[in-house]
Amino acid sequence: MASSPLFRFAVIADSHVNPSEQDNISPFESHRLTNERLRHTVAMLNALAPAFVVHVGDMIHPVPEAVSYPQAVRQFRATMAALACPVHLVPGNHDVGDKQADYVPAGAIRPEYVELYSRHFGEHFYGFDRQGCHFAVINTSLINSGLPQEREQAAWLEADLAAHAGQRIFLFMHYPPFVATRDEHGHYDNIDEPGRSWLLDVVERHKVAAAFTGHVHNFFLNRHSDTNFYLMPSTAFVRADYSETLHVGQPPESENGRNDVAKLGVMVVDVHEERIVTQFLRSFGGGSDRSAAQRDWPRLPPSAGELPAPGVELRHGWTVLYDIPYSSMLDEFWRKRARNDYPILALWEMGVRRLRVPLDDLLDAGSRARMEAVAEQGCRFAVFHFGWPDEAALEVVCRHRHLLDGLELVLRWPPAPDLEARLAAAREHAGVPLVLSRFWNASGESRDGKQIKLLVDHGFTVDDELPAASAVDGLVFRIARGTAAREGVARAAAAAEGRGLRAQVHVRLADDSPAQARHDEWSNTCRVLETALCSHFHRGHRIFLDTLGDVDRGYFPRTGLIDRRGNPRLAGRALRNLNGALSELPPVRALDWHETADGVLGVARAGDAVLLLPLPEAPGRAWQGMMPGRPDRYQGYRVDLGTGAQTEVEGDADRPIHCEAGEPAMWVLRPVP
């Protein structure tokens, strides 16, 4: 079961409240919904019950020179009055004026705007405390402004952080210091020099635990020294210029990316003794998707200890910098750069903490920096390499072993006679668990119209003659799409255990043919859930789903856990909610699978609870069956794995359990004495 945090707080950003429901102060239809979307966000926050909320700026849309500014403030105040916990406000550029720069589109901060903000919202910079942690708020529009308040804020921040040395310090601001790289040029979305270097130096010297910013209306993760910067999505709309970081065009109904509602929501931060765990909860803008606020999923372990959820393969580039076109909107005169960090957000959201990547990622300094930032959340990497890595590569592995779950070597077969000695030397040098995989290829000539096969892959099958290598910690097993995950994982685990090793199991979502698409989302969802439950049961082994994101071009096309926009598919939502539900229960200690006329039923036991995971054969078919053992009475709850909604259930020996067609669900039931 997941340990309880010391406390929880939430962060929201860029609500851009309108002066009234009827105001047409933006050419975008989605902008007319910002007030309603903040009301929905408040309802979500009340359901989450954090100790407090921090709004990191742009509370309202009218800028200080607009006559509707006071009216928008009243609208914001009226909406936030429904919040059941304290809220701390951070000045945004819409609230207090843009940063001081020649190229900004609205009025820059000036003394009368400083006074206007103070009158309507309160302090510009201040601190507060909670259970041994210190929280500091600053006004980034003041930085580089030359106003007297800039010097006052700088002196206050230095003194405030020094006074709280030894505590965990959290910093909140509106403008991020940078969007992609520490040395990027100044643009609309960052803090210009020399203020940027000053602020980053303060953060480094005072060992700030985490910093949260707004302004960009998209999620980005950056790291400076030992501090993660979380650039927050909006509750209102997406900054569509950053859609260029995505791998697919935007549908018309999304207003070219601005109304991509899956990217709206709140960040929940659980503060534990040893680390903080951030989770993004999607609001979907409210409306018909209000069920998203019903439960707080997932509730996940806080550390990198035992991680029962399956890992994923990161086949797509996840550290790539994209050039954002100059847009005739906010940045017209030069390019800016950004990454697509939505896959990272989705991984945290689903409870995935093991990631498989090539050794190249660890050897590259830029990618390694991204690995450091992700590892702060408890993620660990399984790195793989074809052939034998050289001494320099093994030195890098050893030096960064805190990031790693193991080193996987893919070798040609049959191996050389000195395999055992070379494996032992590599493991000692690397200082991490060593896992062995077998390279294989399929090739042949076309005869009588038969297809030519030109494929490479790796991994043992349970029917192979497995090596008796004592110098490794585990063996890699490949589970083809045609093999049921439950069968493949169980056989691989047994084969490895018979040799005193752990299994690293790669469950393919792709077909065995590079030309055959696997776009049946229901079938993929069932395979993912089946794999996940096996992973929670076979806790001593490593199970990976291949792949995180959709592959919609090239070879082996298939859907994954997220689509090309970084938004969760049904399989991703179901995995998230299954991991969240299981994290509230004792470990799964027994697991059986039953094939029925309607599909497959997974029956697991966790403590005194019986878990039922029915996987109907097709989304158009319902599943119906009886509680195992047919107790006189049972009670518990049903988790809708699509939304996370939970409903209480009870029944008796003669009442069947019914699963609606196409709705993944899990029952947690206990017999009633």
Side-chain angles (χ1 to χ4, degrees):
M1 297 177 67
S3 64
S4 298
L6 299 174
F7 64 95
R8 160 178 291 178
F9 68 91
V11 186
I12 61 175
D14 295 274
S15 53
H16 284 263
V17 166
N18 290 318
S20 73
E21 306 300 318
Q22 291 77 37
D23 271 289
N24 185 14
I25 59 177
S26 168
F28 296 99
E29 289 294 324
S30 60
H31 197 88
R32 310 196 214 305
L33 303 173
T34 60
N35 293 12
E36 169 57 30
R37 287 177 173 176
L38 182 58
R39 287 192 286 271
H40 174 60
T41 300
V42 169
M44 284 185 68
L45 292 168
N46 286 338
L48 296 168
F52 58 87
V53 173
V54 182
H55 191 311
V56 289
D58 281 3
M59 280 78 77
I60 62 174
H61 191 68
V63 291
E65 59 259 44
V67 295
S68 56
Y69 183 100
Q71 186 179 346
V73 173
R74 288 193 292 272
Q75 287 282 338
F76 175 79
R77 291 288 192 193
T79 300
M80 297 303 290
L83 185 65
C85 67
V87 59
H88 302 278
L89 305 180
V90 178
N93 60 300
H94 276 252
D95 312 313
V96 75
D98 279 1
K99 67 178 184 176
Q100 192 66 248
D102 292 340
Y103 52 81
V104 296
I109 189 170
R110 56 193 192 190
E112 52 266 43
Y113 297 166
V114 171
E115 192 280 328
L116 182 71
Y117 181 90
S118 298
R119 182 165 13 113
H120 286 283
F121 290 108
E123 296 177 284
H124 291 250
F125 47 90
Y126 59 95
F128 60 97
D129 298 285
R130 177 85 186 195
Q131 290 184 237
C133 298
H134 183 66
F135 302 84
V137 169
I138 61 172
N139 179 352
T140 44
S141 289
L142 286 173
I143 297 175
N144 298 319
S145 70
L147 297 178
Q149 291 87 349
E150 179 185 4
R151 295 188 297 275
E152 292 173 15
Q153 175 175 258
W156 171 84
L157 184 62
E158 290 274 15
D160 181 72
L161 299 190
H164 294 88
Q167 295 180 247
R168 271 189 289 187
I169 296 172
F170 298 83
L171 185 61
F172 302 92
M173 65 194 81
H174 186 65
Y175 286 104
F178 57 91
V179 171
T181 62
R182 163 71 177 78
D183 58 352
E184 69 192 17
H185 63 74
H187 54 66
Y188 179 72
D189 290 332
N190 61 22
I191 298 174
D192 294 293
E193 293 290 6
R196 182 193 307 172
S197 290
W198 165 77
L199 181 59
L200 292 176
D201 177 64
V202 169
V203 166
E204 184 172 353
R205 282 190 289 107
H206 293 284
K207 304 185 186 304
V208 171
F212 297 85
T213 82
H215 189 65
V216 293
H217 291 234
N218 282 272
F219 173 74
F220 300 111
L221 173 69
N222 286 315
R223 188 167 179 82
H224 175 72
S225 186
D226 294 328
T227 303
N228 274 3
F229 283 78
Y230 301 89
L231 282 61
M232 287 286 300
S234 166
T235 66
F237 58 87
V238 181
R239 281 271 303 281
D241 47 339
Y242 286 111
S243 295
E244 195 68 26
T245 65
L246 306 178
H247 301 292
V248 67
Q250 302 300 306
E253 63 271 16
S254 78
E255 295 184 330
N256 300 314
R258 181 184 175 95
N259 199 33
D260 186 351
V261 295
K263 293 184 171 62
L264 308 179
V266 307
M267 191 74 80
V268 172
V269 185
D270 286 337
V271 180
H272 294 264
E273 288 281 1
E274 300 298 327
R275 70 171 66 246
I276 67 167
V277 178
T278 60
Q279 300 172 26
F280 184 65
L281 301 180
R282 301 174 194 265
S283 67
F284 297 98
S288 61
D289 290 294
R290 295 186 72 88
S291 59
Q294 288 182 310
R295 283 300 304 266
D296 171 22
W297 302 110
R299 298 178 182 171
L300 298 166
S303 69
E306 190 173 13
L307 302 172
V312 298
E313 184 101 36
L314 292 184
R315 286 189 180 268
H316 293 95
W318 64 289
T319 65
V320 180
L321 279 173
Y322 297 88
D323 286 319
I324 306 302
Y326 44 95
S327 67
S328 293
M329 179 77 178
L330 301 173
D331 277 303
E332 171 64 357
F333 307 108
W334 43 72
R335 301 186 192 279
K336 57 187 174 187
R337 311 191 84 189
R339 297 180 188 85
N340 174 15
D341 282 341
Y342 282 104
I344 293 175
L345 193 70
L347 291 169
W348 294 347
E349 179 183 27
M350 292 184 293
V352 173
R353 296 295 188 269
R354 287 197 182 98
L355 312 172
R356 184 175 181 268
V357 298
L359 179 58
D360 299 351
D361 284 9
L362 186 70
L363 300 181
D364 177 80
S367 297
R368 191 165 63 243
R370 305 302 294 160
M371 296 170 77
E372 291 277 4
V374 172
E376 188 67 17
Q377 282 280 126
C379 293
R380 293 297 179 266
F381 293 84
V383 295
F384 63 91
H385 184 72
F386 177 76
W388 295 95
D390 59 26
E391 294 291 309
L394 290 174
E395 281 293 331
V396 173
V397 170
C398 185
R399 197 160 56 247
H400 299 282
R401 59 187 178 275
H402 61 284
L403 302 175
L404 304 181
D405 191 50
L407 171 63
E408 173 189 335
L409 297 184
V410 184
L411 303 179
R412 296 189 66 86
W413 221 254
D418 62 348
L419 173 68
E420 191 77 9
R422 295 192 70 181
L423 288 172
R427 182 169 66 171
E428 182 177 3
H429 196 160
V432 297
L434 194 65
V435 181
L436 179 63
S437 185
R438 171 183 178 174
F439 169 84
W440 65 266
N441 64 344
S443 63
E445 298 179 0
S446 177
R447 294 187 179 92
D448 301 324
K450 293 183 178 180
Q451 294 177 334
I452 297 176
K453 294 182 178 179
L454 298 171
L455 302 173
V456 297
D457 212 322
H458 74 103
F460 295 98
T461 73
V462 292
D463 297 318
D464 289 336
E465 183 176 345
L466 300 177
S470 61
V472 297
D473 300 277
L475 300 175
V476 171
F477 294 87
R478 174 185 182 277
I479 310 301
R481 178 63 189 242
T483 300
R486 60 187 181 277
E487 174 190 341
V489 171
R491 293 188 66 196
E497 288 169 2
R499 288 162 175 75
L501 302 173
R502 80 182 188 197
Q504 182 167 302
V505 187
H506 300 167
V507 178
R508 287 173 61 88
L509 300 181
D511 197 87
D512 285 344
S513 166
Q516 178 63 51
R518 288 284 188 171
H519 294 322
D520 182 340
E521 194 159 3
W522 177 254
S523 175
N524 282 348
T525 298
C526 290
R527 188 166 178 82
V528 166
L529 289 174
E530 191 177 300
T531 302
L533 194 55
C534 288
S535 183
H536 279 269
F537 174 61
H538 296 284
R539 296 170 78 93
H541 302 283
R542 303 290 189 261
I543 301 173
F544 289 87
L545 286 161
D546 183 6
T547 296
L548 172 64
D550 286 0
V551 177
D552 61 355
R553 62 206 76 174
Y555 306 114
F556 301 103
R558 72 274 197 182
T559 56
L561 303 174
I562 60 175
D563 64 21
R564 299 290 287 204
R565 295 179 184 87
N567 296 335
R569 286 196 171 275
L570 177 61
R573 298 197 307 271
L575 177 62
R576 167 192 174 164
N577 293 320
L578 180 70
N579 285 336
L582 292 177
S583 74
E584 297 183 328
L585 297 167
V588 174
R589 296 302 184 194
L591 177 61
D592 296 304
W593 297 94
H594 304 276
E595 296 187 20
T596 73
D598 295 318
V600 176
L601 174 68
V603 181
R605 297 185 183 274
D608 63 343
V610 177
L611 316 181
L612 303 182
L613 181 66
L615 302 174
E617 186 67 27
R621 180 184 297 178
W623 179 89
Q624 185 166 292
M626 310 302 292
M627 168 76 167
R630 301 192 68 177
D632 291 339
R633 291 196 59 75
Y634 61 82
Q635 64 183 20
Y637 54 91
R638 172 188 180 273
V639 179
D640 183 326
L641 296 178
T643 67
Q646 181 173 306
T647 53
E648 302 302 313
V649 296
E650 60 179 332
D652 54 44
D654 298 319
R655 187 184 307 178
I657 298 166
H658 181 77
C659 177
E660 293 296 330
E663 294 182 1
M666 182 179 73
W667 280 260
V668 180
L669 303 174
R670 292 176 173 84
V672 177

